[in-house]
Amino acid sequence: MTDKYAIGVDYGTESGRAVLVELATGREVAEHVTPYRHKVIDEQLPESGIKLEHDWALQHPADYIEVLERSVPAVMQASGIGAEDVVGLGIDFTACTMLPIDVEDVPLCFQAAYKENPHSWLKLWKHHAAQEEANRINEIAGERGEKFLARYGGKISSEWMIAKVWQILNEAPEMYDAADRFVEATDWVVGQLTGQIVRNSCTAGYKSIWHKQDGYPSRQFFKALDPRLEHLAETKLRGEVLPLGTKAGELTAEMASRIGLAAGTAIAVGNVDAHAAVPGVGVVEPGKLVMAMGTSICHLLLSSEEKEVEGMCGVVEDGIIPGYFGYEAGQSAVGDIFAWYVDQAVPAYVAENAKSEGISVHEWLEKQASQLKVGESGVLALDWWNGNRSVLVDTDLTGLLIGCTLLTKPEEIYRALLEATAFGTRKIVEAFRNSGVAVNELYACGGLPQKNRLLMQIYADVTNLEIKIAASKQTPALGAAMFGAVAAGSANGGYDTIVEAASKMARVREETFKPIPENAAVYDALYREYNTLHDYFGRGGNDIMKRLKSIKEAAR
């Protein structure tokens, strides 16, 4: 019997990546990256050059198909694997990345009559121009006592589906009318592969206010937002919502010829990038918090119960692993903070020293900061350089450094910034625990755990928890491939459950990061001070951050 394989395709913000994975072992046989030809469209539309307003972020749906047409054949060629031995394919995506489509499932931006209207285009996850709509959604939901609000930490984001749909209706009602449906990009791409669009429980639950028992919010709620939205759920959001691991369909003959796989290959329902990473590190049961660490952190956790947790981004039944409630929380800036410091604030001599030693500025700062004792610098920071996602859910908060003197060194500030993000994660862990949701272990995946050992030791010490690190550098793609194998099923050489797939395919490094007791004790004291600052500036004790922001905006 020949070995069987699955392909995972990870759609990020700048590029898409295909990874070919051996089902018996989880070995990543080949990978290929396709940068998006049109990149992030945030200044002007392609071809027409029509200018976009502030906080817009669009993409070209054709770029996603190009990823399939270039990267899938590339991994097949590099591996030498026969198409008949690839039993399944799964994809993951940034979210909410949404687009309006017509009755034939064609994006409106592909059509000459509509393509010069910015609202015909696909809105990327980081399109923030629907903030006014999000504010009204939260205000009206609060006034009406809508119970769904508590499942999302008390606030619906401008990044999510309903706010973006309402913005289209408010600013381009003709595009709203022209759209047969609004769909997530992950569901649209799956539809291109199979010939039919189905919605997945992950994006529907976390990004579209859908609930397995209750469905979407009521007609009365949508009517309270805007009478024109009264029938949104059963019209433009219609479509079956399927749990993760479900087979969305089979690869059509036409798409098979374009991407080099066999017609009839099982295609899994779509997924979200960070959520796909959870089985990718082998987490398929409660109590294990997965941190997808990069420019920001997405914290993902399973539980057998649905609880209300302060500041969470959502809790969704079957949202991560079928059979469990999946919780999501997050920090909106982590690696971005370290990059800001390196790019904007370190003195020239740091870059010169790093260059002379043949290492990066990050590596030089990490090396110097590693020599400091915990608390030695007397410097403390708040990690709000891009607002606070969890637990305060407030984008208007800003960063803070305290304790600097004329003797403060760059590596001391750098370490304080690393520590601040760890304190932010501890705050999230404690929010879960205070609500009765267990957190017993930490798992880390993404770019940061692979690069910064000091950071991971600090997280272990601050949380006083052991941290296991993903062996794969492409954990979301690996997870997507696992779901592709589950869509195929054991009868076709795959697996019948994601639990079974994870037991065979997930891998973590042998080395873990364990808390150092003497460090943890000092961090307990520093965390108390962090908490004092957190609550003073974040819970209304002093709104100076927001007042400064207002003065800044008025001065422009």
Side-chain angles (χ1 to χ4, degrees):
M1 181 177 174
T2 58
D3 293 330
K4 298 297 181 183
Y5 303 83
I7 291 175
V9 184
D10 173 36
Y11 285 95
T13 302
E14 304 288 344
S15 62
R17 180 187 310 271
V19 178
L20 179 70
V21 185
E22 185 178 57
L23 298 191
T25 64
R27 179 173 65 94
E28 294 163 28
V29 180
E31 67 174 84
H32 183 270
V33 179
T34 298
Y36 298 147
R37 188 180 300 272
H38 298 89
K39 303 180 181 179
V40 175
I41 302 168
D42 54 9
E43 294 183 0
Q44 61 185 39
L45 293 182
E47 298 180 26
S48 67
I50 290 172
K51 301 292 185 184
L52 299 177
E53 296 180 22
H54 185 60
D55 279 341
W56 277 62
L58 311 177
Q59 281 192 324
H60 201 310
D63 291 347
Y64 304 147
I65 304 305
E66 185 178 4
V67 171
L68 296 172
E69 293 176 335
R70 291 183 58 193
S71 288
V72 173
V75 297
M76 295 300 292
Q77 183 176 359
S79 67
I81 302 299
E84 68 279 2
D85 292 323
V86 177
V87 302
L89 182 148
I91 71 170
D92 68 79
F93 238 97
T94 62
C96 166
T97 293
M98 59 82 76
L99 70 161
I101 58 175
D102 68 12
V103 70
E104 301 293 334
D105 298 342
V106 176
L108 298 188
C109 62
F110 283 2
Q111 301 175 40
Y114 303 133
K115 67 180 183 179
E116 293 188 3
N117 189 316
H119 282 293
S120 74
W121 287 78
L122 177 146
K123 289 180 168 63
L124 186 59
W125 67 271
K126 64 177 182 177
H127 175 90
H128 290 155
Q131 188 59 53
E132 288 185 21
E133 285 78 8
N135 293 342
R136 288 291 291 149
I137 289 169
N138 292 323
E139 181 182 338
I140 293 169
E143 291 171 354
R144 290 174 52 85
E146 296 285 350
K147 66 178 184 179
F148 68 74
L149 205 56
R151 295 199 299 268
Y152 299 95
K155 287 186 180 180
I156 303 302
S157 171
S158 65
E159 295 180 357
W160 299 354
M161 179 70 80
I162 306 304
K164 288 174 174 172
V165 167
W166 196 9
Q167 186 198 8
I168 294 173
L169 178 59
N170 284 335
E171 298 179 10
E174 69 278 17
M175 291 298 98
Y176 182 90
D177 292 339
D180 179 62
R181 283 187 289 175
F182 297 99
V183 296
E184 285 277 355
T186 190
D187 295 333
W188 180 76
V189 171
V190 166
Q192 294 299 293
L193 292 166
T194 65
Q196 60 177 358
I197 291 177
V198 296
R199 298 183 188 269
N200 71 87
S201 62
C202 188
T203 53
Y206 291 103
K207 310 302 178 185
S208 294
I209 325 181
W210 174 86
H211 188 266
K212 184 177 179 180
Q213 309 303 328
D214 303 337
Y216 293 104
S218 67
R219 285 183 186 177
Q220 292 76 20
F221 171 71
F222 282 124
K223 186 176 181 180
L225 295 183
D226 188 317
R228 298 171 295 173
L229 290 173
E230 180 178 0
H231 299 288
L232 175 64
E234 63 265 33
T235 57
K236 297 179 189 291
L237 293 181
R238 73 184 190 279
E240 189 176 8
V241 179
L242 298 178
L244 300 181
T246 304
K247 186 169 90 167
E250 297 179 351
L251 186 63
T252 65
E254 192 264 335
M255 281 302 293
S257 67
R258 291 167 62 181
I259 68 175
L261 295 181
T265 300
I267 307 297
V269 300
N271 207 338
V272 177
D273 46 6
H275 301 65
V278 174
V281 294
V283 170
V284 290
E285 58 191 15
K288 300 176 178 182
L289 182 74
V290 178
M291 303 182 293
M293 304 180 70
T295 55
S296 60
I297 295 183
C298 195
H299 303 79
L300 301 154
L301 183 66
L302 303 175
S303 176
S304 56
E305 297 179 281
E306 183 176 12
K307 304 269 192 178
E308 293 181 10
V309 180
E310 181 189 18
M312 65 184 171
C313 303
V315 53
V316 177
E317 188 173 0
D318 300 332
I320 300 174
I321 299 293
Y324 291 107
F325 292 93
Y327 292 82
E328 178 187 347
Q331 291 167 265
S332 51
V334 179
D336 272 356
I337 301 177
F338 316 147
W340 164 81
Y341 182 61
V342 166
D343 294 341
Q344 304 294 338
V346 296
Y349 80 82
V350 171
E352 292 165 3
N353 288 347
K355 185 177 180 180
S356 68
E357 295 181 29
I359 58 178
S360 71
V361 173
H362 282 283
E363 290 170 315
W364 190 89
L365 287 168
E366 180 190 355
K367 185 175 74 168
Q368 299 302 121
S370 297
Q371 298 171 23
L372 298 169
K373 294 178 182 177
V374 178
E376 177 182 345
S377 68
V379 179
L380 187 63
L382 288 176
D383 52 316
W384 301 341
W385 261 248
N386 194 27
N388 179 284
R389 185 181 299 162
S390 299
V391 297
L392 299 171
V393 198
D394 192 336
T395 59
D396 287 329
L397 296 173
T398 54
L400 177 76
L401 270 173
I402 190 168
C404 294
T405 72
L406 294 177
L407 297 176
T408 299
K409 300 290 192 295
E411 59 266 27
E412 293 176 327
I413 295 175
Y414 181 75
R415 180 164 184 139
L417 295 174
L418 301 185
E419 292 168 341
T421 67
F423 292 142
T425 285
R426 177 167 168 175
K427 193 76 181 171
I428 290 167
V429 169
E430 291 185 353
F432 279 120
R433 288 174 168 171
N434 291 340
S435 296
V437 183
V439 179
N440 304 319
E441 296 180 59
L442 296 182
Y443 287 71
C445 62
L448 284 178
Q450 307 280 351
K451 299 172 185 173
N452 197 317
R453 294 180 58 84
L454 172 61
L455 180 71
M456 300 320 300
Q457 186 60 55
I458 288 172
Y459 271 62
D461 292 340
V462 166
T463 61
N464 206 20
L465 289 168
E466 182 178 8
I467 302 177
K468 297 177 181 178
I469 309 295
S472 172
K473 293 181 180 179
Q474 312 300 341
T475 315
L478 173 60
M482 289 182 185
F483 280 111
V486 174
S490 61
N492 297 304
Y495 295 105
D496 289 329
T497 68
I498 193 64
V499 175
E500 185 183 0
S503 71
K504 302 290 187 181
M505 298 172 67
R507 293 173 294 125
V508 294
R509 293 182 177 181
E510 289 187 16
E511 180 192 28
T512 66
F513 290 86
K514 297 181 176 65
I516 299 168
E518 53 268 32
N519 288 357
V522 181
Y523 276 130
D524 280 344
L526 287 172
Y527 180 68
R528 286 193 292 272
E529 303 304 334
Y530 172 91
N531 254 333
T532 299
L533 295 172
H534 177 283
D535 290 352
Y536 180 63
F537 289 106
R539 299 194 190 275
N542 190 331
D543 284 334
I544 185 173
M545 293 175 177
K546 297 179 182 183
R547 294 196 299 273
L548 288 173
K549 213 168 185 181
S550 296
I551 294 170
K552 170 185 171 182
E553 290 170 1
R556 285 181 169 176

